Amino acid sequence: MLSPVVEHGLGARKQKIRVGIIGASSTGGWALFGHLPALKMLPQYVVTAVCATNQEHADEVARRHGVPHAFNRPKALVTHPEVDLVVISVKAPEHDALVRAAIAAQKDVFCEWPLGTSTAQAAALTKLAEAAKVRTVIGLQRRLSPGVRYLRDLLDEGYVETPRLVPLHAASPMYAAFARDVAEGTRLAPDFSEALKLHRLLDAIEKATATGRRQTWTEPL
């Protein structure tokens, strides 16, 4: 995540990173149930603005969480002087335009996975961010979970020597939602292990195996 230390003159001062969230509907979604509660628990961040397509929804979220600014137009949020970091928590087809708007406004960006609806689109956005020298994060938070990080450490240290076979089982009531999004073109992966963000875990296992090869498969529930 972005560092809360902001350069100021010859020294450095600590300052909370001011966050604006796009996709903050009052009826549900990652922004409401994930980003807002998490950010409120982190002392380095403060949510200063929310945006939803419906102004009443944005106003309700702002009222409920004590956020000073609420908008129904993303441009108003990304250009607001009290926003340093833009969180984009909407469906993938909307990511490109919103990420571009945030970069154009010289704001750092946290975008939910996937970054774009194609590799070419994601690569173009990456180049744009690099040229603008803004910091970016993709919402693949599973790779940072304590369990996955601990497993990676054990593998790196050789604690389990050389794994030959690693059965990995995952189930989620969200499979149906992922399948619907894939059918509608708002997600990229028909492979649900990728949708569940397990590939970072598999990367750690692959690195430590003798063959260096990965074989994955999924079965419908």
Side-chain angles (χ1 to χ4, degrees), residues 21-24 51-53 72-79 86-112 115 121 125 128:
I21 301 177
I22 299 174
C51 178
T53 53
N72 65 355
R73 294 182 301 108
K75 185 178 180 180
L77 183 145
V78 301
T79 58
V86 177
V87 172
I88 297 172
S89 184
V90 296
K91 289 191 174 182
E94 301 174 52
H95 289 181
D96 183 74
L98 295 174
V99 171
R100 287 177 181 275
I103 292 172
Q106 285 293 303
K107 302 298 172 72
D108 295 323
V109 185
F110 178 107
C111 182
E112 278 295 348
L115 175 58
Q121 189 179 86
L125 291 173
L128 200 63

Side-chain angles (χ1 to χ4, degrees), residues 161-166 204-214:
E161 296 186 351
T162 303
R164 302 289 181 177
L165 176 65
V166 184
I205 295 170
E206 177 184 307
K207 179 181 176 182
T209 59
T211 62
R213 293 196 300 268
R214 176 198 305 177

Side-chain angles (χ1 to χ4, degrees), residues 166-180:
V166 184
L168 183 63
H169 301 277
S172 170
M174 296 183 69
Y175 271 134
F178 284 136
R180 184 174 59 251

Side-chain angles (χ1 to χ4, degrees), residues 32-220:
L32 185 66
F33 299 128
H35 295 297
L36 275 162
L39 287 165
K40 288 177 73 175
M41 293 173 63
L42 297 171
Q44 304 97 324
Y45 302 88
V46 57
V47 179
T48 54
V50 292
C51 178
T53 53
N54 184 304
Q55 184 66 49
E56 291 181 359
H57 285 197
D59 290 340
E60 173 59 20
V61 171
R63 182 196 64 77
R64 198 183 304 172
H65 292 274
V67 177
H69 306 291
F71 306 103
N72 65 355
R73 294 182 301 108
K75 185 178 180 180
L77 183 145
V78 301
T79 58
H80 198 281
E82 293 180 17
V83 171
D84 306 310
L85 166 64
V86 177
V87 172
I88 297 172
S89 184
V90 296
K91 289 191 174 182
E94 301 174 52
H95 289 181
D96 183 74
L98 295 174
V99 171
R100 287 177 181 275
I103 292 172
Q106 285 293 303
K107 302 298 172 72
D108 295 323
V109 185
F110 178 107
C111 182
E112 278 295 348
W113 177 89
L115 175 58
T117 55
S118 70
T119 302
Q121 189 179 86
L125 291 173
T126 301
K127 275 190 175 182
L128 200 63
E130 289 173 349
K133 293 182 170 53
V134 300
R135 291 171 290 182
T136 58
V137 180
I138 306 293
L140 288 168
Q141 71 276 11
R142 187 66 57 89
R143 63 182 173 170
L144 300 177
S145 69
V148 172
R149 294 173 68 180
Y150 181 54
L151 173 59
R152 183 181 288 276
D153 289 343
L154 291 178
L155 293 169
D156 287 343
E157 293 165 6
Y159 179 81
V160 293
E161 296 186 351
T162 303
R164 302 289 181 177
L165 176 65
V166 184
L168 183 63
H169 301 277
S172 170
M174 296 183 69
Y175 271 134
F178 284 136
R180 184 174 59 251
D181 284 352
V182 168
E184 294 173 355
T186 58
R187 286 186 186 271
L188 301 182
D191 173 0
F192 289 129
S193 67
E194 185 172 347
L196 286 172
K197 306 178 180 68
L198 294 176
H199 278 213
R200 281 289 176 175
L201 172 59
L202 296 173
D203 285 344
I205 295 170
E206 177 184 307
K207 179 181 176 182
T209 59
T211 62
R213 293 196 300 268
R214 176 198 305 177
Q215 182 177 8
T216 64
W217 63 92
T218 56
E219 296 179 1

